C-alpha cells in the first residue's frame, strides 16, 4: 500500500463525527478536519469531552440515532473499546476511520475489514506516521537500493507524552509499542522487502501489564538485520529516528519521519503534516469506494509478544 497519493480528493463538506474527544482528537483530528474542505465536523460522541458549537452525545448509539445523515465517523478512542464501537459505526453504514493501532487484536481488525466489505462502506485503519513528510520520499529512494542494515531508535518520556493514561498500561494498551508501532508502520512502508521478527526482549515494570521498553531484531533478505530499540524511560532529548544503510549510502529519517537526509544532505520535502494527509486519504477512499486496512505493523507487535523474552524491571509510577 502507498500512504500518500497524488490524486486530489474531490469530496467537499462531507459531514463527519468524532468518537472519543480526548488528547489526539483535540491535538490533531479536530484541527485537521477544520483545515480541510473535504469534511465538516458535525457531531461528537464522548462521555466527557465535547467541541464548542458541535452537537455532542455521550454515546455513539445516540449519535447514530440523531444523525442518520452523517456518512463518516472517525474513532479516536483507545484500542480496547474500539472494536464494539467500530461495529456499531459499520453496521449503521458509516464510512469508518480508526486511530492506530486499529484494534486490540489482529483478528478483530480483520473482522472489521470483512464487515465493512459486507456493508459496502470504507474502513480506513490509519497509520499516521506513514504520512510524516519524509516517509514517501524515503520509500521512493529505497525502492531500488540494496539495504545492508536498519537501526530504529524510538525513545521518549512516557510521563511527558502519556500523562495519567492508565489504558496504555493495561492489557491491549500495548505499553511502549503504542509509540513503537508508529516506527513499525514506517518500517513496513519504506522497506522494499518484508522482514520478520527473530528475537525480542520486552521489559515489563513489575507493577504493570505492558512493557516499558523493547529491543527487537528482525531479519530481511540475505540476512539483512533491522534493530529496533523502543524505550519509554527517555528523559532529555527525545528520539524518533530510523537509519538505513545501503550499498549506495545512508538514509536518515528523523523527528518521527518529518525530516529526511540522504548521505548527510537534508532533502526538500512537502510540508503537509500527518493528520491532514490522513483525512485527505480518507476522503479519497470514500470517493473511490475502497478500504485501506494494513495489519502488518500489528503483526510485528503480536510476534514480539509471542517470541519476546520477558524481563521484569523496576515498578513504574506516573
Ligand atoms: P485518550 O485521550 O486517553 O482517550 C481518548 C478518549 O477516548 C478519551 O478522552 C475518552 O473520552 C475516550 N475513552 C477512553 N477510554 C474509553 C473507553 N474505555 N470507552 C470509551 N471511550 C473511552 O487517548 P489518546 O491519547 O487520545 O489516544 C487515543 C488513540 O489515539 C490511541 O489509540 C492512541 O494510540 C492514538 N494516538 C494517540 C496519540 C497521542 O499523542 N496521544 C498520537 C497518535 C495516536 P470520554 O471519556 O469523553 O469518553
Amino acid at each position: 500500500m502507498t500512504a500518500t497519493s497524488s490524486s486530489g480528493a474531490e469530496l467537499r463538506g462531507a459531514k463527519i463525527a468524532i468518537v472519543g474527544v480526548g488528547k489526539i482528537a483535540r491535538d490533531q483530528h479536530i484541527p485537521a478536519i477544520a483545515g480541510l474542505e473535504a469534511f465538516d465536523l458535525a457531531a461528537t460522541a464522548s462521555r466527557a469531552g465535547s467541541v464548542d458549537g458541535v452537537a455532542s452525545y455521550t454515546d455513539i448509539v445516540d449519535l447514530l440515532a440523531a444523525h442518520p445523515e452523517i456518512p463518516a465517523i472517525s474513532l479516536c478512542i483507545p484500542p480496547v473499546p474500539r472494536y464494539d464501537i467500530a461495529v456499531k459505526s459499520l453496521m449503521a453504514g458509516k464510512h469508518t476511520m480508526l486511530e492506530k493501532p486499529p484494534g486490540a487484536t489482529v483478528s478483530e481488525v480483520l473482522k472489521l475489514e470483512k464487515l465493512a466489505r459486507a456493508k459496502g462502506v470504507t474502513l480506513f485503519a490509519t497509520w499516521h506516521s506513514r504520512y510524516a513528510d519524509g516517509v514517501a520520499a524515503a520509500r521512493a529512494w529505497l525502492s531500488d537500493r540494496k539495504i545492508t542494515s536498519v537501526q530504529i531508535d524510538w525513545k521518549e518520556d512516557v510521563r511527558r507524552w502519556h500523562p495519567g493514561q492508565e489504558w496504555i498500561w493495561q492489557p491491549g494498551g500495548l505499553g511502549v509499542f503504542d509509540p513503537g508501532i508508529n516506527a513499525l508502520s514506517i518500517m513496513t512502508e519504506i522497506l522494499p522487502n518484508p522482514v520478520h521478527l527473530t528475537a525480542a526482549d520486552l521489559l515489563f515494570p513489575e507493577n504493570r501489564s505492558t512493557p516499558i521498553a523493547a529491543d527487537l531484531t528482525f531479519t530481511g533478505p540475505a540476512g539483512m538485520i533491522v534493530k529496533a530499540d523502543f524505550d519509554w524511560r527517555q528523559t532529555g532529548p527525545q528520539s524518533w529516528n530510523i537509519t538505513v544503510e545501503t550499498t549506495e549510502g545512508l538514509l536518515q529519517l528523523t523527528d518521527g519521519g518529518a525530516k529526511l537526509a540522504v548521505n548527510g544532505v537534508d532533502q526538500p520535502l512537502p510540508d503537509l503534516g500527518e493528520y491532514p494527509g490522513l483525512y485527505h486519504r480518507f476522503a479519497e477512499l470514500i470517493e473511490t469506494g475502497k478500504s485501506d486496512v494494513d495489519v502488518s505493523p500489528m503483526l510485528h507487535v503480536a510476534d514480539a509478544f509471542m517470541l519476546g523474552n520477558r524481563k521484569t524491571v523496576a515498578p513504574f509510577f506516573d
Side-chain angles (χ1 to χ4, degrees):
M1 116 347 126
T2 306
T4 51
S5 158
S6 55
S7 71
E10 299 298 329
L11 212 64
R12 293 279 180 276
K15 289 187 176 180
I16 189 166
I18 280 180
V19 177
V21 180
K23 185 169 189 319
I24 198 59
R26 291 191 192 285
D27 288 357
Q28 298 291 347
H29 290 258
I30 294 165
I33 291 169
L36 290 178
E37 287 182 9
F39 293 106
D40 177 27
L41 183 60
T44 63
S46 207
R47 297 163 306 180
S50 62
V51 179
D52 284 349
V54 175
S56 67
Y57 303 85
T58 53
D59 191 276
I60 190 173
V61 175
D62 298 334
L63 182 152
L64 291 170
H67 293 278
E69 81 286 3
I70 295 179
I73 301 198
S74 180
L75 304 187
C76 304
I77 46 185
V80 167
R82 196 173 297 131
Y83 175 77
D84 288 343
I85 293 173
V87 168
K88 291 187 174 89
S89 177
L90 293 170
M91 288 299 289
K94 308 300 181 188
H95 304 298
T96 302
M97 177 162 152
L98 310 174
E99 248 299 352
K100 51 64 51 172
T105 69
V106 180
S107 49
E108 72 182 37
V109 179
L110 299 179
K111 282 177 75 179
L112 293 177
E113 184 182 27
K114 198 171 169 191
L115 179 58
R117 206 177 308 125
K119 299 298 288 184
V121 295
T122 290
L123 181 66
F124 182 21
T126 66
W127 298 107
H128 64 84
S129 291
R130 287 180 172 173
Y131 293 79
D133 291 328
V135 172
R139 175 188 167 100
W141 194 82
L142 291 171
S143 63
D144 56 358
R145 289 192 162 77
K146 183 171 166 31
I147 296 169
T148 50
S149 71
V150 181
Q151 175 66 45
I152 300 174
D153 290 299
W154 227 252
K155 300 178 183 177
E156 60 179 51
D157 183 351
V158 64
R159 291 187 175 88
R160 183 165 154 197
W161 302 103
H162 297 275
Q165 287 186 333
E166 271 304 303
W167 62 264
I168 55 172
W169 296 110
Q170 292 164 359
L174 294 192
V176 76
F177 287 101
D178 178 74
I181 202 168
N182 299 334
L184 300 178
S185 75
I186 296 177
M187 178 188 83
T188 46
E189 179 74 4
I190 66 173
L191 296 186
N193 294 297
V195 298
H196 73 280
L197 189 86
T198 44
D201 282 333
L202 310 182
L203 277 55
F204 287 74
E206 66 179 41
N207 60 339
R208 302 290 180 167
S209 299
T210 58
I212 197 166
D215 284 323
L216 312 175
T217 304
F218 301 87
T219 301
M224 185 272 283
I225 295 292
V226 178
K227 292 272 190 193
D229 192 353
F230 301 159
D231 205 322
W232 250 350
R233 300 165 297 182
Q234 176 95 346
T235 53
Q238 309 283 285
S239 324
W240 299 286
N241 303 326
I242 299 178
T243 303
V244 184
E245 279 190 17
T246 77
T247 52
E248 294 174 54
L250 200 68
L251 178 144
Q252 291 167 294
L253 269 174
T254 52
D255 283 7
K259 292 183 182 157
L260 174 67
V262 174
N263 291 323
V265 179
D266 289 339
Q267 301 297 300
L269 297 173
D271 185 16
L272 298 174
E274 297 178 7
Y275 282 77
L278 285 183
Y279 278 95
H280 181 87
R281 173 75 171 151
F282 191 33
E284 192 177 68
L285 290 168
I286 292 170
E287 282 181 312
T288 53
K290 293 181 180 158
S291 285
D292 181 347
V293 181
D294 176 15
V295 295
S296 58
M298 283 185 90
L299 292 178
H300 289 308
V301 174
D303 284 357
F305 282 104
M306 288 168 77
L307 191 68
N309 186 27
R310 183 187 172 112
K311 296 181 174 174
T312 302
V313 296
F316 176 84
F317 300 102
D318 235 334

